[in-house]
Amino acid sequence: MKRLLACALGIGVVIAAPAFASSASDLSACSKAQQDRKFDDGIALCTRALGAGNLSPSDQAFAYARRGQMNRALRKYDEAIADFSEIIRLKPGFAQGYIDRASAHMDKREIELAFADFDSAIRVEPDNADARLTRGYARLNRGLADLALTDFAAVIRLRPLSGAGYYARAGILLDKGQFKEAIQDYSQALKISPDFVAGWIGRGRAYAASGQLDQANNDYDQVRKIDLKSPDALNNRCYQLAVVGRAEQALADCDKALALRANDAATLDSRGYVHFKLQNYQAAIADYDAAMRIQPKFAVALYGRGVAKLKSGNVAEGNDDIAEALKLDAGIAERMAKLGVAP
């Protein structure tokens, strides 16, 4: 399932396009391979471009950024960290290099190193809203909600015409039970980005939690009117709808996303969650199996499969899956329980 946090910590490097004609074709092909999710091919192309020895520092940074993104997507975190370190060496005043390396450190559960890099990103670019946003989500993931609020407030101050800060702050306010304030922030985010699926769902949850069920259902219905075409957006709506109990509607989105991009681990995991919510446990297990064939150490899918096996009566294998998932991510049981996935 594709979390928004995954979106917040995603990489959005903005570096000038390559200049040297001798390696430009390799770098262009590398970028295309990344867009097509052909990560092994893309890494090889970027490596060849870097090995040519005729790239400017800016072009080298571009190549390392692309290669680092793909290494991270393949869960090759040490290689990704090495690539992002090269960006920092080449562009020490460029916050995104630190943000990207911090995100890879978070993937490895190297929390102190990650926060040191987030802090460095803000030190070199104090007004970088992306640095504040990613650090805020990292703090939230570590249970530091009040510190996260300060970062999200800074995002709103630095980028008032973006809904990202309002949406992030609204989620914390919702969890704190400050429903009126959460609704206000969600409404502001939606005023800026009316096609923001997660905003409609978030506000619907806030309305429902405050007892305003008609308004909640209106927001959930609005979500279905948004014409989504990208597999990532469809996957996100699939997951979000399942969270709020509209699993039958969610299933169509996951199926459509997989028709557009087959064998995507995140979407298979989302559909597994949908089947779990529908109590179709064998179908859930099949989707979790498929997700882990693509991404073997996928803790969320592994935990979901374990609970689905328990629900199906396969106690021994279910407990084994859960134990293995907890080794990969010690906090996963608590997070999944909030989503209704618990033994």
Side-chain angles (χ1 to χ4, degrees):
M1 58 184 78
K2 186 161 258 185
R3 310 295 193 281
L4 285 168
L5 176 61
C7 296
L9 296 183
I11 301 164
V13 178
V14 181
I15 302 175
F20 286 100
S22 59
S23 296
S25 59
D26 279 340
L27 287 185
S28 177
C30 169
S31 297
K32 180 65 164 58
Q34 182 185 21
Q35 292 168 7
D36 293 341
R37 303 177 69 83
K38 297 178 180 179
F39 299 137
D40 288 323
D41 291 344
I43 288 169
L45 287 160
C46 272
T47 299
R48 188 165 70 186
L50 286 164
N54 63 350
L55 296 180
S56 69
S58 181
D59 295 343
Q60 289 177 53
F62 179 90
Y64 282 122
R66 293 294 188 187
R67 194 172 72 177
Q69 292 169 14
M70 289 183 282
N71 274 320
R72 186 178 170 216
L74 292 173
R75 303 172 71 87
K76 296 179 179 180
Y77 300 131
D78 289 333
E79 291 89 337
I81 288 168
D83 283 336
F84 298 141
S85 295
E86 286 300 308
I87 299 172
I88 293 168
R89 179 183 64 81
L90 291 161
K91 290 179 168 286
F94 182 56
Q96 191 66 48
Y98 291 104
I99 295 171
D100 294 343
R101 191 171 69 179
S103 300
H105 280 308
M106 289 293 288
D107 292 334
K108 287 191 69 182
R109 306 291 190 270
E110 295 174 343
I111 306 303
E112 296 303 321
L113 291 173
F115 277 108
D117 274 345
F118 283 130
D119 291 344
S120 292
I122 293 166
R123 174 178 53 79
V124 299
E125 292 185 28
D127 291 339
N128 187 305
D130 290 330
R132 299 279 185 176
L133 186 67
T134 50
R135 189 178 69 175
Y137 274 113
R139 283 173 162 176
L140 185 59
N141 245 17
R142 299 299 297 172
L144 304 171
D146 289 336
L147 287 175
L149 277 174
T150 65
D151 275 333
F152 297 148
V155 174
I156 292 169
R157 173 177 57 81
L158 293 166
R159 198 177 287 170
L161 298 182
S162 167
Y166 292 105
Y167 171 75
R169 188 171 69 179
I172 296 179
L173 295 172
L174 176 59
D175 287 342
K176 285 177 171 287
Q178 297 176 232
F179 303 130
K180 179 180 178 181
E181 294 83 355
I183 289 167
Q184 289 173 345
D185 272 353
Y186 282 126
S187 296
Q188 185 61 33
L190 289 167
K191 181 178 179 182
I192 296 167
S193 303
D195 288 341
F196 187 28
V197 166
W200 289 106
I201 295 219
R203 194 175 71 174
R205 290 177 62 201
Y207 276 133
S210 63
Q212 301 177 71
L213 300 184
D214 287 342
Q215 291 93 325
N217 284 320
N218 286 340
D219 279 356
Y220 297 151
D221 289 340
Q222 183 65 35
V223 168
R224 297 298 304 167
K225 297 176 182 177
I226 299 172
D227 184 18
L228 301 179
K229 294 182 171 59
S230 85
D232 288 329
L234 287 162
N235 173 34
N236 182 55
R237 185 167 68 183
C238 169
Y239 164 67
Q240 295 282 344
L241 285 170
V243 168
V244 297
R246 296 199 167 196
E248 291 185 0
Q249 294 176 1
L251 188 58
D253 280 336
C254 272
D255 287 342
K256 188 174 180 180
L258 287 166
L260 292 170
R261 187 172 67 205
N263 300 320
D264 180 70
T267 308
L268 287 163
D269 173 66
S270 291
R271 194 171 68 178
Y273 174 60
V274 172
H275 281 305
F276 183 93
K277 295 279 278 189
L278 291 170
Q279 299 183 17
N280 297 332
Y281 298 124
Q282 292 304 319
I285 291 167
D287 276 339
Y288 288 136
D289 282 340
M292 285 185 291
R293 281 195 293 271
I294 300 164
Q295 192 172 314
K297 293 184 178 181
F298 198 169
V300 173
L302 184 57
Y303 189 88
R305 187 178 72 177
V307 177
K309 285 180 177 178
L310 291 182
K311 299 288 187 183
S312 300
N314 191 344
V315 176
E317 288 189 12
N319 284 331
D320 286 346
D321 279 351
I322 290 171
E324 188 62 30
L326 288 168
K327 289 179 183 177
L328 294 170
D329 185 346
I332 195 167
E334 180 180 356
R335 296 199 307 278
M336 295 295 281
K338 293 179 180 178
L339 299 172
V341 182

